[in-house]
Amino acid sequence: MKNNEIPYKIYLDEQEIPKQWYNVRADMKKKPAPLLNPGTLEPMTAQDLAPVFCDELVKQELDDTTAYIDIPQEIQDYYKTYRPSPVMRAYRLEEKLQTPAKIYYKFEGNNTSGSHKLNSAIAQAYYAKKQGLKGVTTETGAGQWGTALSMACAYLGLDCDVYMVKVSYEQKPFRREVMRTYGAKVTPSPSMTTEVGKKILAEHPGTTGSLGCAISEAVEAAVTREGYRYVLGSVLNQVLLHQSIIGLEAKAALDKYGVVPDIIIGCAGGGSNLGGLISPFMGEMLRGERDYRIIAVEPASCPSLTRGKYVYDFCDTGMVTPLAKMYTLGSGFIPSANHAGGLRYHGMSPVISELFHQGLLEACSVEQTAVFEAAELFAREEGILPAPESAHAIRVAMDEALRCKETGEEKTILFGLTGTGYFDMLAYEKFNNGVMSDYIPTDADLEEGLAGIPNIPQNQ
Amino acid sequence: MKNNEIPYKIYLDEQEIPKQWYNVRADMKKKPAPLLNPGTLEPMTAQDLAPVFCDELVKQELDDTTAYIDIPQEIQDYYKTYRPSPVMRAYRLEEKLQTPAKIYYKFEGNNTSGSHKLNSAIAQAYYAKKQGLKGVTTETGAGQWGTALSMACAYLGLDCDVYMVKVSYEQKPFRREVMRTYGAKVTPSPSMTTEVGKKILAEHPGTTGSLGCAISEAVEAAVTREGYRYVLGSVLNQVLLHQSIIGLEAKAALDKYGVVPDIIIGCAGGGSNLGGLISPFMGEMLRGERDYRIIAVEPASCPSLTRGKYVYDFCDTGMVTPLAKMYTLGSGFIPSANHAGGLRYHGMSPVISELFHQGLLEACSVEQTAVFEAAELFAREEGILPAPESAHAIRVAMDEALRCKETGEEKTILFGLTGTGYFDMLAYEKFNNGVMSDYIPTDADLEEGLAGIPNIPQNQ
């Protein structure tokens, strides 16, 4: 075991938790493209968004000039119950890999929601409560976001209606029960409780649902009822803003020990964790202060950055949401049923998409078996059973560390360990039994989804 | 939200993790009774125990005079990956209960095994490895101990054979998969892989197993094979020794802020968490330095302290283990099938039993529905979904806090939050659906188990 000045876990004090979120858009010279009203193709205004999101979140969604936004005291207090999260030094993994690389990870899984999602859930629920709303609606796939929102709503005394992708509802009954323990109403999607759900069920009677379908239902359930708004756990600018707490804390912790990462790695589904983790580092890049190599890791089975198109598309299957300019596989794309965990969204956060388009970050995709091999090794060495989503970042961090072993370079790697895999044991069981699938969509598979992208003038 | 000098979470620094375990037996004037050889009824010697436990652990088991025992550097290093665990101030729960009491809890659940069990698992696996053994065998019920041992063995490269109570094996497939991910071999017990298992199956063909049966199988699997030893997650003196890290850290953290608890509460199955949590406080009591009110909380469905006898009994159903003097319901006792979680052992640690017998701690029992009501409220306010075991302590901590509300006393309460309930969602589902049972054994139910206790001269 190494005898190093740097501890296994770097914890900030509670009073060192950042008191402001960082809005990376403020430092982007070319801003992410605005959301468009699908009827008029004009940029969405605050008024357009008001029926969907609560007012303060609309403001955050549209604000691409204010660099730092105060975190309300109540949210800071809530953060103190599970934050700061530690930056861990992977001494044991380094030893196992026999690499000269130094590996750090920011671990967001030590809360009951099991992931970083709680950082934005408490913020969104807080603003809804402050506006005097009765409740919020949302969708959840793997269940991390739904759990986080349930926790936040239970604490604030808000109704929480979760549309859970039907296949997850059935395969993850325990996730459902956690949400119910926190008082949420959980409905398998598509359902007969919404018009869009009925329509989807009529067209595809046997469907097991998708995130895109569940979004359509949750939006409808919000806009058609008095006192409800819709909230979303990824993709949106406001979510990346709230998740900047991950990167800000990580940077503050590393700064304490004079550690500067060479490579920063995050898994990417809708982009909430990656966007949050990299934000202060990306800010330095955008301001020309420092350079980092940043890698977004996506599953080969849902490759929006690596095989999608950068165009305007709907955020949902039912096409009830605004249009967002993003790397997308088409709102009709549904990853193979063998795909485990989250990271199954057809699109990518407009902020991440634009940064990728500008060449400020790289993207790569990894196959499922390789991801679970990394997860198993990590669990055994580091003692944390990772979420399948997080294991995508672990895979690439390990690959980079092994490359250092070949070249002898002593690179410093930071990756985001977004959460734990305690509710993903069906996927681990498949891996343990050697029956995991690595199905990757063919070009023909992707064609249908891509063909469904609306034809919007892309100079918007 | 309160604005208090005491943070939500008191963390020690890594260098403040205790470097010695505390052996409470050293300060007991009347020591716990020795283990007896069931053949000769003589106290077990190191030689008698050597085929079962590895040598260093035998030494720790028998040592009732050394107060402080060094923690080997390798174990200290392992501890640093998930310790120190925080002492949390339950500000939100206090507010919800509107109590003048100050509530603190030592949270041991932030590691993948999900509980405090890892503290002893890594110690026992370490000594086995150091002795050059191939592997260890054990039993597990709810699965926390088996998971902890799997993690420790995976890290050290030891074989890990877990006999898992059959009903848990079937009802908790995900616990099984976590252990398998860590490379453990998991066998449902009783099984046909041991003589004692075959015998139990012949006598009770449809049995779903019990902890006592699984212990018998695990012991046989250890003593009949070269290079294997048996390890146990509770009850034994050595386990309480390792778990003293919980209390030592808790006391050090509270001392930093000048906080002295009036009441210390822990759930009690075999006594590992309770014994660890209270040890330094009990030491002060034994040395006449300070007085605390200490409460052991057990389930009404498995009431060894509150309704058992303080006599010599076997530690297992198959009667292959030594005899221990303890509060026991008889080694044939099996709690109602409706009983959730751990805390289902028929006996109680000899150390805890003797301290209780001397009147140094109180015991009470609580019913299941009341426990889950406390668990739900705690989860919603404090954001941590507790293990059913831990929720027993939460129930009594809340009851004491509510009593303070009536009397106006500003008592300081410390309880042990031993772990998280992420693998106990079947029990939560029953509670959510309002179909939880509060079955309490009648005197007639208890009679059969008590009648099976061997007739040993109790002046031993």
Side-chain angles (χ1 to χ4, degrees), chain A residues 95-371:
Chain A
E95 198 168 284
K96 180 74 177 181
L97 298 178
Q98 293 282 303
T99 174
K102 292 172 182 64
I103 308 176
Y104 294 85
Y105 53 98
K106 177 71 168 168
F107 179 39
E108 290 287 321
N110 267 352
N111 71 74
T112 281
S113 82
S115 81
H116 67 294
K117 296 285 186 184
L118 196 51
N119 302 330
S120 185
I122 185 61
Q124 296 192 47
Y126 167 78
Y127 290 120
K129 180 77 180 177
K130 210 179 145 207
Q131 195 171 320
L133 298 174
K134 282 185 211 153
V136 291
T137 72
T138 200
E139 75 293 329
T140 201
Q144 292 181 335
W145 169 246
T147 309
L149 190 68
S150 306
M151 289 176 67
C153 287
Y155 179 61
L156 292 164
L158 278 175
D159 282 358
C160 182
D161 276 8
V162 180
Y163 287 85
M164 186 170 187
V165 178
K166 192 177 278 174
V167 62
S168 297
Y169 183 91
E170 284 159 5
Q171 288 186 357
K172 295 192 162 191
F174 295 166
R175 268 284 183 209
R176 181 188 72 210
E177 291 307 321
V178 179
M179 291 186 258
R180 287 183 68 206
T181 299
Y182 281 96
K185 185 176 138 205
V186 188
T187 307
S189 166
S191 75
M192 296 298 281
T193 67
T194 63
E195 292 309 312
V196 67
K198 286 180 201 164
K199 185 159 168 272
I200 291 166
L201 280 172
E203 284 168 15
H204 309 277
T207 183
T208 54
S210 74
L211 217 45
C213 295
I215 294 175
S216 302
E217 287 205 270
V219 171
E220 183 183 320
V223 299
T224 56
R225 283 188 299 171
E226 192 69 40
Y228 285 80
R229 291 295 185 282
Y230 168 71
V231 297
L232 179 64
S234 193
V235 182
L236 296 173
N237 299 329
Q238 57 186 274
V239 177
L240 269 71
L241 174 71
H242 306 148
Q243 295 296 357
S244 68
I245 190 96
I246 305 173
L248 292 165
E249 275 187 12
K251 191 160 188 317
L254 293 176
D255 281 350
K256 276 200 167 184
Y257 290 87
V259 173
V260 179
D262 299 298
I263 309 175
I264 303 169
I265 301 167
C267 62
S272 72
N273 157 68
L274 179 74
L277 175 67
I278 68 174
S279 62
F281 303 99
M282 183 57 76
E284 291 183 304
M285 288 176 75
L286 290 165
R287 296 189 302 270
E289 295 163 8
R290 197 170 241 155
D291 214 22
Y292 300 98
R293 187 173 160 220
I294 295 178
I295 309 176
V297 188
E298 56 185 18
S301 51
C302 191
S304 55
L305 282 175
T306 49
R307 294 175 69 191
K309 286 186 185 170
Y310 189 39
V311 291
Y312 267 105
D313 194 10
F314 284 99
C315 300
D316 69 323
T317 310
M319 303 189 181
V320 304
T321 63
L323 295 160
K325 187 168 180 186
M326 57 185 177
Y327 280 86
T328 176
L329 298 164
S331 65
F333 177 80
I334 295 180
S336 151
N338 294 309
H339 171 86
L343 310 184
R344 54 169 67 239
Y345 188 62
H346 68 275
M348 179 58 67
S349 137
V351 172
I352 296 292
S353 292
E354 179 58 29
L355 292 169
F356 178 61
H357 191 67
Q358 292 180 26
L360 288 160
L361 58 88
E362 303 169 27
C364 68
S365 73
V366 287
E367 294 181 25
Q368 197 153 253
T369 298
V371 164

Side-chain angles (χ1 to χ4, degrees), chain B residues 13 54 82 202 244 294 377 430:
Chain B
D13 287 337
C54 66
Y82 71 99
S244 67
I294 295 179
L377 183 69
K430 275 188 197 165

Side-chain angles (χ1 to χ4, degrees), chain A residues 9 14 80 83 112 385, chain B residues 9 14 80 83 112 385:
Chain A
K9 308 173 296 302
E14 276 172 24
K80 283 179 191 164
R83 307 199 67 81
T112 281
L385 187 93
Chain B
K9 307 174 298 301
E14 276 173 23
K80 283 179 191 162
R83 305 198 69 79
T112 281
L385 187 92

Side-chain angles (χ1 to χ4, degrees), chain B residues 187-248:
Chain B
T187 307
S189 167
S191 75
M192 297 297 281
T193 67
T194 64
E195 293 309 312
V196 67
K198 285 179 201 164
K199 186 158 167 274
I200 291 168
L201 280 172
E203 285 169 12
H204 309 278
T207 182
T208 53
S210 73
L211 215 46
C213 295
I215 294 176
S216 303
E217 288 205 271
V219 170
E220 182 184 321
V223 299
T224 56
R225 284 186 299 173
E226 193 71 42
Y228 285 80
R229 290 295 185 283
Y230 167 71
V231 297
L232 180 62
S234 193
V235 182
L236 296 173
N237 299 330
Q238 56 185 278
V239 177
L240 268 70
L241 174 72
H242 306 147
Q243 295 297 357
S244 67
I245 189 98
I246 303 173
L248 293 166

Side-chain angles (χ1 to χ4, degrees), chain B residues 93-119:
Chain B
L93 182 63
E94 290 170 19
E95 199 168 283
K96 180 75 178 179
L97 298 178
Q98 292 283 303
T99 175
K102 293 172 181 63
I103 308 174
Y104 294 84
Y105 52 99
K106 176 71 169 166
F107 179 39
E108 289 287 320
N110 267 352
N111 70 74
T112 281
S113 81
S115 81
H116 65 295
K117 296 287 186 185
L118 197 52
N119 302 329

